[in-house]
Each structure stands twice: as structure tokens, then as C-alpha cells.
Amino acid sequence: MLLLDGANIIDPGCNCWSTAVVNPDMTQEVKVQTSNFGADQPNGPVVFSAISKAGTAGYHGSAYMTTRNSIFNANTWANDKNGRKKQDAAFYYPGGNFGGPVPFTKGKLLFWVGYEYYWQHLPSSSPL
């Protein structure tokens, strides 16, 4: 079972895939239970539970960019010998998050927001 903030994110239609992806940059806590389940988590045999980040009393945030591009890859010896080019692929994952107190609430209401974009340019011969 896979839980995100207490909600089951396994697709109930086929029970084979999650309806959301747990992003490690936006996760505060992860708990894995393999036994001794309480009444609030009757499913098993293993329960993965993730808790999202939350706002704090001060403003904080981060921005990041993960990049992978095939121009940095080496070509194989066989492709070089036969005059074949290496495959062209690029993966760019920009993202960021920001959180803190909501203005004019005297620190009683906190917020946290995060965003990540997946941009991929895959070779035409790659299976999707």
C-alpha cells in the first residue's frame, strides 16, 4: 500500500499503479511498516507512508534544475566503427518550492507550495 498524507494513492481501478508520484524534494517524512499495523492502517503486508513538507514560521524555499543531455554521452565503439551517430536525448527537470506564514494571519496560517516540470526529448526509436 502506498499512502501520501494519509490518502491511498494506488489506482483502485487496477490496483497496479499510483495516481500520484511521491517527489523526494517535496517529502518531509517517509515511514515503512512491515508489521504491527494499527486500526488506522489495516492493509499490508507492507505500507509505505509519505508526508509532504509544510510551511514554517519563516519564509524558505529552494529552486533546482536537473539536466541530462546526450551530448555528454560517449558513442559505442561499434557505432563509431560503422559511422552511426549516438542517439539524441535530453531530460530537463526544473522545479522549486516555497513556504512560510500567510501574511496578515499573525503566523497562525502556514502555506507551502511546490512545482516540478518533466521535459523529455526521447530518441525516436525508444519505446515509451
Side-chain angles (χ1 to χ4, degrees):
M1 171 176 258
L2 185 57
L3 300 175
L4 178 60
D5 293 331
N8 186 356
I9 59 172
I10 298 294
D11 184 7
C14 71
N15 200 26
C16 59
W17 200 254
S18 65
T19 58
V21 177
V22 179
N23 186 328
D25 292 318
M26 300 176 191
T27 302
Q28 179 176 331
E29 176 185 339
V30 175
K31 181 169 60 170
V32 179
Q33 288 181 286
T34 58
S35 63
N36 299 332
F37 297 106
D40 60 335
Q41 295 177 352
N43 299 318
V46 177
V47 175
F48 295 91
S49 180
I51 306 294
S52 299
K53 287 184 178 177
T56 62
Y59 293 107
H60 67 280
S62 65
Y64 50 89
M65 172 83 161
T66 303
T67 303
R68 192 174 99 195
N69 198 311
S70 63
I71 62 171
F72 300 111
N73 293 350
N75 205 357
T76 65
W77 176 86
N79 282 350
D80 276 342
K81 185 173 191 297
N82 295 323
R84 291 189 207 124
K85 290 183 171 182
K86 60 185 173 183
Q87 291 187 338
D88 184 31
F91 305 88
Y92 301 103
Y93 307 127
N97 51 60
F98 183 73
V102 175
F104 310 111
T105 61
K106 298 181 182 177
K108 302 281 184 190
L109 184 60
L110 307 173
F111 76 95
W112 185 87
V113 63
Y115 176 77
E116 187 168 88
Y117 182 74
Y118 295 94
W119 185 85
Q120 300 177 349
H121 172 70
L122 301 173
S124 59
S125 63
S126 292
L128 297 178

